[in-house]
Amino acid sequence: MSIDIEQYEDGRWRFGSYTMQGNTAEKDVVEDDQVPAWGFLADQVRIENCTVHFRSPDLDLTLVVDKADLAGITTRESEQAGHLILQGSLNNSYLKLDLDRVQIVPELLLTGDVKVADFNLDIIADLLRDVLPVFKGAVGLNGKVLFNQSSFNGIKVEYDGTIGVTGPDIGSKSFSTRAEKLGWQGKVYYQSALDSPIVITTDGTLSADHYNLELAGAQFSTTESRIELTGKNSVTVTESVSVENDGLLQVEGAHMSLPSYELDEKSLSWKVRVLYAVS
């Protein structure tokens, strides 16, 4: 079975050969007590060998479902949350989900275990191009996740587990950072809402091999053969980026460069509390 879904720039949606209008004229308002109550319910469903292709102006995803079991997933607000187990691939990257809570209304809420291998970040780069025009690498995940999306609070993500990135390359006009390998063990919190800054907080251990950071405005650059940072971090992204860190920094093979100063260190261990901002 194959399902093709597309969202056009003008807001229209296409499901297979059927297209829904994105902008429709206003219709007569019908009182709530005149609207029949209805809802969708997937009580016990198994799906095998299914492909779902989703395309929008900023995203192109192909989900291949080898096997999926759905239980109690519904659009009825009064019902309990459902359960989803899925194994397959997302844009040719291995994907396994075991979501013990799937709630669709009144807001989208997903919680459970997720495992992803070697997902190419180029695929989602267009979603972030306004704040991070450079966003590259291949990421793998293995942990527990909470995803919540609502019209009032925007998007909230909580994650506890491991994250591995091969060849990360991330940057904007104010900074750039890259590494051969990047690893994370711990907790991550992300929130973004309309007219509000993007907020990212972490608590755990970040490690990187052959790491490089450049801050254009400060004419600052640093490279390390190995870096490990343990502790709590907070990043706020608006038109500028502010970073706060409180933890232990351990570095091997470091080289730091400023306009009138250069520093080389074979090894360094530093209990740090840092706050900086770039725009």
Side-chain angles (χ1 to χ4, degrees):
M1 182 174 67
S2 180
I3 303 171
D4 196 30
I5 303 171
E6 183 171 5
Q7 182 186 27
Y8 298 106
E9 291 186 1
D10 61 5
R12 292 179 301 144
W13 286 83
R14 179 178 62 83
F15 299 87
S17 59
Y18 177 71
T19 300
M20 298 175 59
Q21 295 297 323
N23 298 315
T24 58
E26 293 186 4
K27 298 181 179 180
D28 294 336
V29 176
V30 180
E31 297 298 330
D32 289 344
D33 57 5
Q34 298 178 25
V35 178
W38 66 276
F40 167 82
L41 172 63
D43 190 23
Q44 294 287 339
V45 178
R46 166 162 288 192
I47 301 172
E48 295 180 344
N49 302 320
C50 175
T51 299
V52 180
H53 182 208
F54 171 78
R55 183 166 50 212
S56 74
D58 297 324
L59 203 57
D60 194 335
L61 298 174
T62 300
L63 172 65
V64 176
V65 179
D66 296 330
K67 182 174 68 173
D69 291 300
L70 297 79
I73 297 177
T74 179
T75 59
R76 296 182 186 274
E77 185 173 344
S78 60
E79 298 290 340
Q80 293 183 346
H83 185 199
L84 167 66
I85 299 176
L86 182 148
Q87 184 168 325
S89 65
L90 182 64
N91 286 50
N92 298 316
S93 300
Y94 174 80
L95 173 66
K96 184 177 181 180
L97 302 175
D98 187 350
L99 303 181
D100 53 18
R101 187 172 185 183
V102 179
Q103 177 182 301
I104 300 174
V105 291
E107 57 189 38
L108 181 61
L109 176 62
L110 308 173
T111 66
D113 298 325
V114 58
K115 186 173 184 179
V116 180
D118 298 324
F119 180 77
N120 192 335
L121 295 178
D122 285 344
I123 295 167
I124 61 173
D126 283 347
L127 292 172
L128 303 171
R129 63 179 178 269
D130 291 340
V131 291
L132 293 174
V134 179
F135 195 75
K136 300 178 181 179
V139 64
L141 308 174
N142 189 2
K144 295 185 178 296
V145 67
L146 178 150
F147 179 89
N148 179 225
Q149 182 176 18
S150 68
S151 57
F152 181 74
N153 293 317
I155 295 175
K156 180 176 73 173
V157 181
E158 297 178 7
Y159 178 79
D160 188 358
T162 61
I163 303 174
V165 188
T166 302
D169 187 358
I170 299 171
S172 67
K173 64 180 181 180
S174 59
F175 82 99
S176 67
T177 180
R178 60 184 64 88
E180 184 179 288
K181 287 185 178 180
L182 191 69
W184 170 261
Q185 173 70 57
K187 298 179 180 180
V188 179
Y189 174 86
Y190 169 94
Q191 182 158 15
S192 66
L194 187 64
D195 299 326
S196 297
I198 296 174
V199 176
I200 304 168
T201 60
T202 65
D203 187 359
T205 299
L206 176 69
S207 60
D209 294 326
H210 302 288
Y211 175 77
N212 171 257
L213 170 67
E214 297 181 10
L215 304 177
Q219 296 181 298
F220 169 85
S221 68
T222 177
T223 60
E224 292 84 21
S225 59
R226 171 73 179 178
I227 183 170
E228 187 172 291
L229 180 63
T230 301
K232 297 181 179 181
N233 303 275
S234 176
V235 180
T236 303
V237 181
T238 54
E239 294 182 353
S240 62
V241 178
S242 64
V243 179
E244 184 175 359
N245 167 257
D246 186 3
L248 176 65
L249 176 65
Q250 300 179 80
V251 176
E252 297 177 5
H255 175 78
M256 184 184 300
S257 177
L258 287 163
S260 59
Y261 182 78
E262 292 199 8
L263 174 67
D264 289 287
E265 287 285 348
K266 183 178 291 187
S267 64
L268 174 68
S269 182
W270 186 21
K271 178 67 175 177
V272 295
R273 182 173 178 83
V274 178
L275 174 62
Y276 69 87
V278 292
S279 58

